[in-house]
Amino acid sequence: MSQYDKNYEINEYYQRLQIFLDNKKKIERHNAGNHKFSMGLNQFSDMTFAEFKKSYLLTEPQNCSATRGNHLSSNGPYPDMIDWRTKGNYVTNVKNQGACGSCWTFSTTGCLESVTAIATGKLLQLAEQQLVDCAGYDEMGMVDAVARLNPVSLAYEVTSDFMHYKDGIYTSTVCHNTTDMVNHAVLAVGYAEQNGTPYWIVKNSWGTYWGINGYFYIERGKNMCGLAACSSYPLPLV
């Protein structure tokens, strides 16, 4: 409560305390197992996943199966890793979308901010209300775009364990890899590999207290949680 400046009436206090303890036990059970990522307490630890979904995710799954891209991939080869944060001043700071399902606007503007910075050398803070034309593609196309061009916006399905993500490479056996179940949008700023597991480096919009200073890693090459189903990046308007 002190760390995240939260205050409750007495009845809600005991309700939130019980939810917190339940989440803490879930986190401890996960971390005691053999997983590629770890969980941790964060600003959402006093919430049920149902409450979290209502406040922070898209309320209805977004079916983007109608999206067809015109991305033209090269034949490679591609570098083993890319991180646009280290290539120059191309990625804005992690933002906090607050308690609203506006993640797609943060994902889209984050992508456009990076594309503009790469093209002009000026990193601008753009308004989340802006819309852009996009080009969609599959996960290999994502590798090509991130390696050669710029960060890429992507959408995927968030399930309950992701709410408590702390670090490591996120994988899931319960999320879907279909276009009809994605409920959150983020920005892939790079990729790498760790101990034989390839992963995406992804910028989230839940503030810097969550995850790895607001970022997370998610397994690459398996369309994890449908992340390749709804990927896109802005096209220059000519």
Side-chain angles (χ1 to χ4, degrees):
M1 290 173 63
S2 175
Q3 182 174 359
Y4 299 111
D5 194 25
K6 297 192 175 189
N7 295 285
Y8 316 112
E9 296 294 336
I10 189 64
N11 290 336
E12 185 184 11
Y13 170 82
Y14 288 107
Q15 178 189 9
R16 294 297 164 193
L17 178 59
Q18 187 58 56
I19 294 171
F20 175 87
L21 292 174
D22 290 343
N23 283 329
K24 186 172 183 292
K25 290 177 182 177
K26 180 178 180 179
I27 290 167
E28 290 171 346
R29 284 196 302 268
H30 174 90
N31 290 342
N34 184 23
H35 301 282
K36 295 180 181 178
F37 73 99
S38 65
M39 292 183 178
L41 298 171
N42 56 37
Q43 67 267 45
F44 307 129
S45 297
D46 64 343
M47 302 174 68
T48 66
F49 184 59
E51 291 172 327
F52 176 80
K53 285 174 63 177
K54 185 176 180 180
S55 295
Y56 292 93
L57 303 179
L58 298 170
T59 55
E60 295 293 336
Q62 306 296 298
N63 191 341
C64 57
S65 58
T67 302
R68 291 293 179 267
N70 56 0
H71 174 78
L72 298 176
S73 292
S74 72
N75 294 322
Y78 305 115
D80 292 337
M81 73 160 292
I82 286 286
D83 189 341
W84 281 97
R85 297 172 299 176
T86 64
K87 289 173 69 69
N89 192 29
Y90 297 137
V91 182
T92 56
N93 293 333
V94 171
K95 301 176 183 178
N96 193 335
Q97 70 183 57
C100 63
S102 59
C103 54
W104 70 272
T105 62
F106 287 84
S107 172
T108 301
T109 55
C111 192
L112 184 56
E113 287 166 346
S114 294
V115 170
T116 302
I118 293 166
T120 67
K122 297 179 180 179
L123 184 62
L124 305 176
Q125 294 278 347
L126 300 179
E128 274 65 41
Q129 291 81 5
Q130 290 183 300
L131 299 177
V132 294
D133 292 333
C134 297
Y137 36 75
D138 58 17
E139 196 162 5
M140 197 59 227
M142 288 174 61
V143 171
D144 180 82
V146 172
R148 293 193 302 114
L149 302 175
N150 43 252
V152 169
S153 173
L154 64 91
Y156 66 110
E157 183 190 7
V158 170
T159 52
S160 61
D161 56 354
F162 191 76
M163 172 180 167
H164 305 290
Y165 172 89
K166 181 180 180 182
D167 56 29
I169 302 173
Y170 179 78
T171 62
S172 174
T173 58
V174 297
C175 65
H176 302 79
N177 62 0
T178 54
T179 60
D180 59 324
M181 296 301 292
V182 298
N183 57 11
H184 188 50
V186 288
L187 183 69
V189 302
Y191 62 80
E193 184 173 317
Q194 183 179 78
N195 298 325
T197 301
Y199 63 90
W200 292 105
I201 304 168
V202 189
K203 179 185 178 185
N204 205 347
S205 57
W206 296 339
T208 56
Y209 289 114
W210 182 89
I212 310 169
N213 297 318
Y215 284 80
F216 67 95
Y217 304 149
I218 186 168
E219 190 164 2
R220 173 168 55 93
K222 294 185 177 180
N223 190 26
M224 185 61 63
C225 301
L227 65 85
C230 303
S231 57
S232 61
Y233 65 90
L235 295 171
L237 299 179
V238 294

